[in-house]
PDB file of all heavy atoms in Angstrom:
ATOM      1  N   ASP A  48     -32.126 -38.044  28.319  1.00 98.00           N
ATOM      2  CA  ASP A  48     -33.376 -38.086  29.126  1.00 98.00           C
ATOM      3  C   ASP A  48     -34.624 -38.120  28.262  1.00 98.00           C
ATOM      4  O   ASP A  48     -34.676 -37.599  27.177  1.00 98.00           O
ATOM      5  CB  ASP A  48     -33.453 -36.730  29.905  1.00 98.00           C
ATOM      6  CG  ASP A  48     -32.281 -36.536  30.890  1.00 98.00           C
ATOM      7  OD1 ASP A  48     -31.256 -35.986  30.436  1.00 98.00           O
ATOM      8  OD2 ASP A  48     -32.399 -36.933  32.043  1.00 98.00           O
ATOM      9  N   PRO A  49     -35.640 -38.855  28.820  1.00 97.00           N
ATOM     10  CA  PRO A  49     -36.864 -39.000  27.983  1.00 97.00           C
ATOM     11  C   PRO A  49     -37.491 -37.741  27.530  1.00 97.00           C
ATOM     12  O   PRO A  49     -38.125 -37.699  26.441  1.00 97.00           O
ATOM     13  CB  PRO A  49     -37.800 -39.773  28.982  1.00 97.00           C
ATOM     14  CG  PRO A  49     -36.893 -40.512  29.960  1.00 97.00           C
ATOM     15  CD  PRO A  49     -35.651 -39.602  30.103  1.00 97.00           C
ATOM     16  N   MET A 129     -30.861 -33.332  38.021  1.00 98.00           N
ATOM     17  CA  MET A 129     -32.263 -33.084  37.657  1.00 98.00           C
ATOM     18  C   MET A 129     -33.138 -34.290  38.047  1.00 98.00           C
ATOM     19  O   MET A 129     -34.207 -34.144  38.696  1.00 98.00           O
ATOM     20  CB  MET A 129     -32.409 -32.693  36.234  1.00 98.00           C
ATOM     21  CG  MET A 129     -33.735 -32.397  35.706  1.00 98.00           C
ATOM     22  SD  MET A 129     -34.719 -33.892  35.268  1.00 98.00           S
ATOM     23  CE  MET A 129     -33.994 -34.266  33.621  1.00 98.00           C
ATOM     24  N   THR A 133     -36.157 -34.177  40.797  1.00 98.00           N
ATOM     25  CA  THR A 133     -37.566 -34.612  40.414  1.00 98.00           C
ATOM     26  C   THR A 133     -38.186 -35.456  41.416  1.00 98.00           C
ATOM     27  O   THR A 133     -39.297 -35.246  41.865  1.00 98.00           O
ATOM     28  CB  THR A 133     -37.474 -35.241  39.016  1.00 98.00           C
ATOM     29  OG1 THR A 133     -36.873 -34.379  38.096  1.00 98.00           O
ATOM     30  CG2 THR A 133     -38.850 -35.597  38.529  1.00 98.00           C
ATOM     31  N   ALA A 154     -40.847 -47.709  36.255  1.00 98.00           N
ATOM     32  CA  ALA A 154     -39.420 -47.457  35.831  1.00 98.00           C
ATOM     33  C   ALA A 154     -38.555 -47.425  37.068  1.00 98.00           C
ATOM     34  O   ALA A 154     -37.767 -46.460  37.264  1.00 98.00           O
ATOM     35  CB  ALA A 154     -39.343 -46.219  34.933  1.00 98.00           C
ATOM     36  N   GLY A 157     -34.704 -46.875  37.108  1.00 98.00           N
ATOM     37  CA  GLY A 157     -34.266 -45.721  36.323  1.00 98.00           C
ATOM     38  C   GLY A 157     -33.764 -44.633  37.163  1.00 98.00           C
ATOM     39  O   GLY A 157     -33.754 -44.665  38.410  1.00 98.00           O
ATOM     40  N   ALA A 158     -33.387 -43.504  36.531  1.00 98.00           N
ATOM     41  CA  ALA A 158     -32.792 -42.372  37.246  1.00 98.00           C
ATOM     42  C   ALA A 158     -33.763 -41.781  38.249  1.00 98.00           C
ATOM     43  O   ALA A 158     -33.340 -41.555  39.370  1.00 98.00           O
ATOM     44  CB  ALA A 158     -32.405 -41.349  36.132  1.00 98.00           C
ATOM     45  N   VAL A 159     -34.968 -41.505  37.885  1.00 98.00           N
ATOM     46  CA  VAL A 159     -35.915 -40.915  38.798  1.00 98.00           C
ATOM     47  C   VAL A 159     -36.450 -42.050  39.736  1.00 98.00           C
ATOM     48  O   VAL A 159     -36.470 -41.842  40.974  1.00 98.00           O
ATOM     49  CB  VAL A 159     -37.037 -40.267  38.034  1.00 98.00           C
ATOM     50  CG1 VAL A 159     -38.191 -39.759  38.960  1.00 98.00           C
ATOM     51  CG2 VAL A 159     -36.581 -39.115  37.118  1.00 98.00           C
ATOM     52  N   ALA A 178     -40.574 -52.840  37.010  1.00 98.00           N
ATOM     53  CA  ALA A 178     -39.491 -52.582  36.039  1.00 98.00           C
ATOM     54  C   ALA A 178     -39.607 -53.661  34.970  1.00 98.00           C
ATOM     55  O   ALA A 178     -40.264 -54.625  35.046  1.00 98.00           O
ATOM     56  CB  ALA A 178     -38.134 -52.731  36.774  1.00 98.00           C
ATOM     57  N   GLY A 179     -38.798 -53.426  33.894  1.00 98.00           N
ATOM     58  CA  GLY A 179     -38.821 -54.331  32.749  1.00 98.00           C
ATOM     59  C   GLY A 179     -37.744 -55.385  32.810  1.00 98.00           C
ATOM     60  O   GLY A 179     -36.592 -55.070  32.534  1.00 98.00           O
ATOM     61  N   LYS A 183     -33.410 -56.244  36.087  1.00 98.00           N
ATOM     62  CA  LYS A 183     -33.757 -54.943  36.716  1.00 98.00           C
ATOM     63  C   LYS A 183     -34.466 -55.148  38.000  1.00 98.00           C
ATOM     64  O   LYS A 183     -34.247 -54.443  39.065  1.00 98.00           O
ATOM     65  CB  LYS A 183     -34.628 -54.113  35.769  1.00 98.00           C
ATOM     66  CG  LYS A 183     -33.841 -53.515  34.598  1.00 98.00           C
ATOM     67  CD  LYS A 183     -34.763 -52.587  33.725  1.00 98.00           C
ATOM     68  CE  LYS A 183     -33.988 -51.997  32.524  1.00 98.00           C
ATOM     69  NZ  LYS A 183     -34.846 -51.098  31.759  1.00 98.00           N
ATOM     70  N   HIS A 199     -42.959 -55.908  34.539  1.00 98.00           N
ATOM     71  CA  HIS A 199     -44.146 -55.607  33.678  1.00 98.00           C
ATOM     72  C   HIS A 199     -44.171 -56.349  32.379  1.00 98.00           C
ATOM     73  O   HIS A 199     -45.131 -56.376  31.671  1.00 98.00           O
ATOM     74  CB  HIS A 199     -44.333 -54.076  33.534  1.00 98.00           C
ATOM     75  CG  HIS A 199     -43.296 -53.458  32.636  1.00 98.00           C
ATOM     76  ND1 HIS A 199     -43.339 -53.471  31.254  1.00 98.00           N
ATOM     77  CD2 HIS A 199     -42.172 -52.719  33.023  1.00 98.00           C
ATOM     78  CE1 HIS A 199     -42.263 -52.778  30.804  1.00 98.00           C
ATOM     79  NE2 HIS A 199     -41.521 -52.350  31.828  1.00 98.00           N
ATOM     80  N   ARG A 200     -42.979 -56.945  32.031  1.00 97.00           N
ATOM     81  CA  ARG A 200     -42.941 -57.736  30.845  1.00 97.00           C
ATOM     82  C   ARG A 200     -43.349 -59.203  31.012  1.00 97.00           C
ATOM     83  O   ARG A 200     -43.472 -59.974  30.070  1.00 97.00           O
ATOM     84  CB  ARG A 200     -41.514 -57.667  30.237  1.00 97.00           C
ATOM     85  CG  ARG A 200     -41.032 -56.339  29.922  1.00 97.00           C
ATOM     86  CD  ARG A 200     -39.741 -56.367  29.138  1.00 97.00           C
ATOM     87  NE  ARG A 200     -39.090 -55.090  29.057  1.00 97.00           N
ATOM     88  CZ  ARG A 200     -39.434 -54.041  28.320  1.00 97.00           C
ATOM     89  NH1 ARG A 200     -40.470 -54.178  27.521  1.00 97.00           N
ATOM     90  NH2 ARG A 200     -38.807 -52.916  28.289  1.00 97.00           N
ATOM     91  N   ASN A 222     -44.267 -43.013  35.973  1.00 98.00           N
ATOM     92  CA  ASN A 222     -43.187 -42.738  35.032  1.00 98.00           C
ATOM     93  C   ASN A 222     -43.396 -43.206  33.628  1.00 98.00           C
ATOM     94  O   ASN A 222     -42.711 -42.776  32.747  1.00 98.00           O
ATOM     95  CB  ASN A 222     -41.892 -43.350  35.503  1.00 98.00           C
ATOM     96  CG  ASN A 222     -41.154 -42.547  36.535  1.00 98.00           C
ATOM     97  OD1 ASN A 222     -41.260 -41.369  36.610  1.00 98.00           O
ATOM     98  ND2 ASN A 222     -40.370 -43.243  37.407  1.00 98.00           N
ATOM     99  N   VAL A 223     -44.355 -44.214  33.479  1.00 98.00           N
ATOM    100  CA  VAL A 223     -44.428 -44.837  32.095  1.00 98.00           C
ATOM    101  C   VAL A 223     -45.754 -44.762  31.388  1.00 98.00           C
ATOM    102  O   VAL A 223     -45.813 -44.750  30.242  1.00 98.00           O
ATOM    103  CB  VAL A 223     -43.942 -46.248  32.213  1.00 98.00           C
ATOM    104  CG1 VAL A 223     -42.578 -46.407  32.765  1.00 98.00           C
ATOM    105  CG2 VAL A 223     -44.881 -47.167  32.891  1.00 98.00           C
ATOM    106  N   CYS A 244     -45.423 -37.865  36.853  1.00 98.00           N
ATOM    107  CA  CYS A 244     -44.130 -37.416  36.570  1.00 98.00           C
ATOM    108  C   CYS A 244     -43.766 -37.465  35.089  1.00 98.00           C
ATOM    109  O   CYS A 244     -43.186 -36.567  34.479  1.00 98.00           O
ATOM    110  CB  CYS A 244     -43.020 -38.278  37.364  1.00 98.00           C
ATOM    111  SG  CYS A 244     -41.381 -37.831  36.991  1.00 98.00           S
ATOM    112  N   GLY A 245     -44.180 -38.620  34.437  1.00 98.00           N
ATOM    113  CA  GLY A 245     -43.960 -38.799  33.005  1.00 98.00           C
ATOM    114  C   GLY A 245     -44.676 -40.005  32.537  1.00 98.00           C
ATOM    115  O   GLY A 245     -45.106 -40.835  33.382  1.00 98.00           O
ATOM    116  N   MET A 246     -44.704 -40.194  31.208  1.00 98.00           N
ATOM    117  CA  MET A 246     -45.311 -41.409  30.645  1.00 98.00           C
ATOM    118  C   MET A 246     -44.529 -41.822  29.439  1.00 98.00           C
ATOM    119  O   MET A 246     -45.036 -41.811  28.305  1.00 98.00           O
ATOM    120  CB  MET A 246     -46.795 -41.091  30.253  1.00 98.00           C
ATOM    121  CG  MET A 246     -47.652 -40.770  31.505  1.00 98.00           C
ATOM    122  SD  MET A 246     -49.400 -40.565  31.082  1.00 98.00           S
ATOM    123  CE  MET A 246     -49.899 -39.574  32.534  1.00 98.00           C
ATOM    124  N   VAL A 247     -43.300 -42.321  29.793  1.00 98.00           N
ATOM    125  CA  VAL A 247     -42.339 -42.495  28.667  1.00 98.00           C
ATOM    126  C   VAL A 247     -42.834 -43.555  27.682  1.00 98.00           C
ATOM    127  O   VAL A 247     -42.404 -43.447  26.462  1.00 98.00           O
ATOM    128  CB  VAL A 247     -40.964 -42.924  29.319  1.00 98.00           C
ATOM    129  CG1 VAL A 247     -40.997 -44.148  30.120  1.00 98.00           C
ATOM    130  CG2 VAL A 247     -39.907 -43.013  28.221  1.00 98.00           C
ATOM    131  N   ALA A 248     -43.662 -44.488  28.034  1.00 97.00           N
ATOM    132  CA  ALA A 248     -44.138 -45.544  27.155  1.00 97.00           C
ATOM    133  C   ALA A 248     -45.030 -44.902  26.035  1.00 97.00           C
ATOM    134  O   ALA A 248     -45.262 -45.626  25.046  1.00 97.00           O
ATOM    135  CB  ALA A 248     -44.872 -46.639  27.893  1.00 97.00           C
ATOM    136  N   TYR A 250     -44.441 -41.756  24.692  1.00 96.00           N
ATOM    137  CA  TYR A 250     -43.789 -40.569  24.002  1.00 96.00           C
ATOM    138  C   TYR A 250     -43.696 -40.763  22.510  1.00 96.00           C
ATOM    139  O   TYR A 250     -43.549 -39.776  21.778  1.00 96.00           O
ATOM    140  CB  TYR A 250     -42.457 -40.264  24.573  1.00 96.00           C
ATOM    141  CG  TYR A 250     -42.484 -39.722  26.022  1.00 96.00           C
ATOM    142  CD1 TYR A 250     -41.331 -39.532  26.771  1.00 96.00           C
ATOM    143  CD2 TYR A 250     -43.722 -39.478  26.667  1.00 96.00           C
ATOM    144  CE1 TYR A 250     -41.360 -39.038  28.068  1.00 96.00           C
ATOM    145  CE2 TYR A 250     -43.740 -39.002  28.007  1.00 96.00           C
ATOM    146  CZ  TYR A 250     -42.587 -38.802  28.660  1.00 96.00           C
ATOM    147  OH  TYR A 250     -42.627 -38.395  29.938  1.00 96.00           O
ATOM    148  N   PHE A 274     -46.424 -32.411  37.570  1.00 98.00           N
ATOM    149  CA  PHE A 274     -45.492 -31.378  37.923  1.00 98.00           C
ATOM    150  C   PHE A 274     -44.313 -31.408  36.927  1.00 98.00           C
ATOM    151  O   PHE A 274     -44.095 -32.425  36.272  1.00 98.00           O
ATOM    152  CB  PHE A 274     -44.973 -31.562  39.359  1.00 98.00           C
ATOM    153  CG  PHE A 274     -44.030 -32.704  39.489  1.00 98.00           C
ATOM    154  CD1 PHE A 274     -42.687 -32.404  39.711  1.00 98.00           C
ATOM    155  CD2 PHE A 274     -44.435 -33.961  39.437  1.00 98.00           C
ATOM    156  CE1 PHE A 274     -41.740 -33.426  39.827  1.00 98.00           C
ATOM    157  CE2 PHE A 274     -43.475 -35.017  39.568  1.00 98.00           C
ATOM    158  CZ  PHE A 274     -42.151 -34.712  39.758  1.00 98.00           C
ATOM    159  N   ILE A 275     -43.608 -30.265  36.872  1.00 98.00           N
ATOM    160  CA  ILE A 275     -42.416 -30.133  35.989  1.00 98.00           C
ATOM    161  C   ILE A 275     -41.295 -29.617  36.915  1.00 98.00           C
ATOM    162  O   ILE A 275     -41.415 -28.567  37.546  1.00 98.00           O
ATOM    163  CB  ILE A 275     -42.654 -29.185  34.810  1.00 98.00           C
ATOM    164  CG1 ILE A 275     -43.767 -29.741  33.926  1.00 98.00           C
ATOM    165  CG2 ILE A 275     -41.348 -28.963  34.062  1.00 98.00           C
ATOM    166  CD1 ILE A 275     -43.411 -31.047  33.157  1.00 98.00           C
ATOM    167  N   VAL A 276     -40.200 -30.399  36.932  1.00 98.00           N
ATOM    168  CA  VAL A 276     -39.120 -30.102  37.933  1.00 98.00           C
ATOM    169  C   VAL A 276     -38.533 -28.681  37.719  1.00 98.00           C
ATOM    170  O   VAL A 276     -38.110 -28.043  38.689  1.00 98.00           O
ATOM    171  CB  VAL A 276     -38.044 -31.154  37.887  1.00 98.00           C
ATOM    172  CG1 VAL A 276     -37.300 -31.204  36.579  1.00 98.00           C
ATOM    173  CG2 VAL A 276     -37.100 -31.022  39.025  1.00 98.00           C
ATOM    174  N   LEU A 319     -33.536 -45.809  25.035  1.00 98.00           N
ATOM    175  CA  LEU A 319     -34.108 -45.305  26.344  1.00 98.00           C
ATOM    176  C   LEU A 319     -35.569 -45.360  26.232  1.00 98.00           C
ATOM    177  O   LEU A 319     -36.222 -45.618  27.232  1.00 98.00           O
ATOM    178  CB  LEU A 319     -33.554 -43.851  26.511  1.00 98.00           C
ATOM    179  CG  LEU A 319     -34.107 -43.096  27.687  1.00 98.00           C
ATOM    180  CD1 LEU A 319     -33.533 -43.627  28.977  1.00 98.00           C
ATOM    181  CD2 LEU A 319     -33.718 -41.585  27.578  1.00 98.00           C
ATOM    182  N   LEU A 320     -36.107 -44.995  25.084  1.00 97.00           N
ATOM    183  CA  LEU A 320     -37.599 -44.976  24.881  1.00 97.00           C
ATOM    184  C   LEU A 320     -38.207 -46.360  24.713  1.00 97.00           C
ATOM    185  O   LEU A 320     -39.370 -46.496  24.541  1.00 97.00           O
ATOM    186  CB  LEU A 320     -37.957 -44.075  23.688  1.00 97.00           C
ATOM    187  CG  LEU A 320     -37.449 -42.648  23.777  1.00 97.00           C
ATOM    188  CD1 LEU A 320     -37.627 -41.875  22.492  1.00 97.00           C
ATOM    189  CD2 LEU A 320     -38.129 -41.867  24.979  1.00 97.00           C
ATOM    190  N   GLN A 321     -37.304 -47.370  24.751  1.00 96.00           N
ATOM    191  CA  GLN A 321     -37.839 -48.730  24.722  1.00 96.00           C
ATOM    192  C   GLN A 321     -37.409 -49.532  25.930  1.00 96.00           C
ATOM    193  O   GLN A 321     -37.529 -50.753  25.953  1.00 96.00           O
ATOM    194  CB  GLN A 321     -37.289 -49.431  23.436  1.00 96.00           C
ATOM    195  CG  GLN A 321     -37.799 -48.712  22.149  1.00 96.00           C
ATOM    196  CD  GLN A 321     -36.986 -49.120  20.904  1.00 96.00           C
ATOM    197  OE1 GLN A 321     -35.882 -49.605  21.026  1.00 96.00           O
ATOM    198  NE2 GLN A 321     -37.522 -48.891  19.766  1.00 96.00           N
ATOM    199  N   GLY A 322     -36.810 -48.908  26.914  1.00 97.00           N
ATOM    200  CA  GLY A 322     -36.401 -49.486  28.143  1.00 97.00           C
ATOM    201  C   GLY A 322     -35.088 -50.289  28.052  1.00 97.00           C
ATOM    202  O   GLY A 322     -34.811 -51.159  28.874  1.00 97.00           O
ATOM    203  N   ASN A 324     -32.013 -49.017  28.488  1.00 98.00           N
ATOM    204  CA  ASN A 324     -31.048 -48.570  29.461  1.00 98.00           C
ATOM    205  C   ASN A 324     -31.292 -49.300  30.787  1.00 98.00           C
ATOM    206  O   ASN A 324     -32.445 -49.804  31.055  1.00 98.00           O
ATOM    207  CB  ASN A 324     -31.234 -47.067  29.645  1.00 98.00           C
ATOM    208  CG  ASN A 324     -32.544 -46.704  30.258  1.00 98.00           C
ATOM    209  OD1 ASN A 324     -33.594 -47.065  29.723  1.00 98.00           O
ATOM    210  ND2 ASN A 324     -32.585 -46.027  31.434  1.00 98.00           N
ATOM    211  N   GLY A 326     -30.415 -48.019  34.419  1.00 98.00           N
ATOM    212  CA  GLY A 326     -29.834 -46.983  35.231  1.00 98.00           C
ATOM    213  C   GLY A 326     -29.787 -45.618  34.542  1.00 98.00           C
ATOM    214  O   GLY A 326     -30.261 -45.592  33.355  1.00 98.00           O
TER     215      GLY A 326
HETATM  216  N1  LIG B 401     -41.939 -34.155  35.452  1.00 87.37           N
HETATM  217  C1  LIG B 401     -40.651 -33.898  35.392  1.00 87.37           C
HETATM  218  O1  LIG B 401     -40.183 -32.813  35.666  1.00 87.37           O
HETATM  219  C2  LIG B 401     -39.699 -35.003  34.982  1.00 87.37           C
HETATM  220  C3  LIG B 401     -38.327 -34.877  35.163  1.00 87.37           C
HETATM  221  C4  LIG B 401     -37.465 -35.936  34.827  1.00 87.37           C
HETATM  222  C5  LIG B 401     -38.042 -37.114  34.341  1.00 87.37           C
HETATM  223  N2  LIG B 401     -39.382 -37.201  34.112  1.00 87.37           N
HETATM  224  C6  LIG B 401     -39.974 -38.361  33.641  1.00 87.37           C
HETATM  225  O2  LIG B 401     -39.642 -39.442  34.469  1.00 87.37           O
HETATM  226  C7  LIG B 401     -39.701 -40.755  33.806  1.00 87.37           C
HETATM  227  C8  LIG B 401     -38.373 -41.470  34.079  1.00 87.37           C
HETATM  228  O3  LIG B 401     -37.332 -40.719  33.551  1.00 87.37           O
HETATM  229  P1  LIG B 401     -35.830 -41.190  33.777  1.00 87.37           P
HETATM  230  O4  LIG B 401     -34.950 -40.014  33.221  1.00 87.37           O
HETATM  231  O5  LIG B 401     -35.697 -41.615  35.164  1.00 87.37           O
HETATM  232  O6  LIG B 401     -35.642 -42.389  32.782  1.00 87.37           O
HETATM  233  P2  LIG B 401     -35.277 -43.902  33.146  1.00 87.37           P
HETATM  234  O7  LIG B 401     -36.323 -44.377  34.097  1.00 87.37           O
HETATM  235  O8  LIG B 401     -33.795 -43.894  33.629  1.00 87.37           O
HETATM  236  O9  LIG B 401     -35.328 -44.616  31.780  1.00 87.37           O
HETATM  237  C9  LIG B 401     -36.580 -44.769  31.141  1.00 87.37           C
HETATM  238  C10 LIG B 401     -37.252 -46.144  31.613  1.00 87.37           C
HETATM  239  O10 LIG B 401     -38.596 -46.071  31.227  1.00 87.37           O
HETATM  240  C11 LIG B 401     -39.035 -47.380  31.058  1.00 87.37           C
HETATM  241  N3  LIG B 401     -39.621 -47.449  29.656  1.00 87.37           N
HETATM  242  C12 LIG B 401     -39.141 -46.888  28.502  1.00 87.37           C
HETATM  243  N4  LIG B 401     -39.866 -47.228  27.536  1.00 87.37           N
HETATM  244  C13 LIG B 401     -40.876 -47.944  27.987  1.00 87.37           C
HETATM  245  C14 LIG B 401     -41.983 -48.574  27.361  1.00 87.37           C
HETATM  246  N5  LIG B 401     -42.233 -48.460  26.076  1.00 87.37           N
HETATM  247  N6  LIG B 401     -42.875 -49.308  28.203  1.00 87.37           N
HETATM  248  C15 LIG B 401     -42.645 -49.367  29.516  1.00 87.37           C
HETATM  249  N7  LIG B 401     -41.579 -48.800  30.174  1.00 87.37           N
HETATM  250  C16 LIG B 401     -40.720 -48.177  29.392  1.00 87.37           C
HETATM  251  C17 LIG B 401     -37.781 -48.316  31.011  1.00 87.37           C
HETATM  252  O11 LIG B 401     -37.759 -48.920  32.321  1.00 87.37           O
HETATM  253  P3  LIG B 401     -38.301 -50.437  32.513  1.00 87.37           P
HETATM  254  O12 LIG B 401     -37.538 -51.259  31.527  1.00 87.37           O
HETATM  255  O13 LIG B 401     -38.003 -50.672  33.899  1.00 87.37           O
HETATM  256  O14 LIG B 401     -39.793 -50.371  32.200  1.00 87.37           O
HETATM  257  C18 LIG B 401     -36.707 -47.306  30.880  1.00 87.37           C
HETATM  258  O15 LIG B 401     -35.463 -47.822  31.442  1.00 87.37           O
HETATM  259  C19 LIG B 401     -39.951 -40.401  32.342  1.00 87.37           C
HETATM  260  O16 LIG B 401     -41.342 -40.487  32.035  1.00 87.37           O
HETATM  261  C20 LIG B 401     -39.558 -38.894  32.228  1.00 87.37           C
HETATM  262  O17 LIG B 401     -40.152 -38.177  31.210  1.00 87.37           O
HETATM  263  C21 LIG B 401     -40.210 -36.137  34.425  1.00 87.37           C
END
Side-chain angles (χ1 to χ4, degrees):
D48 298 88
M129 182 278 282
T133 300
V159 174
K183 286 185 180 180
H199 67 83
R200 298 192 196 283
N222 274 334
V223 303
C244 177
M246 296 185 201
V247 60
Y250 292 173
F274 74 107
I275 296 295
V276 67
L319 174 71
L320 301 171
Q321 297 164 343
N324 64 306

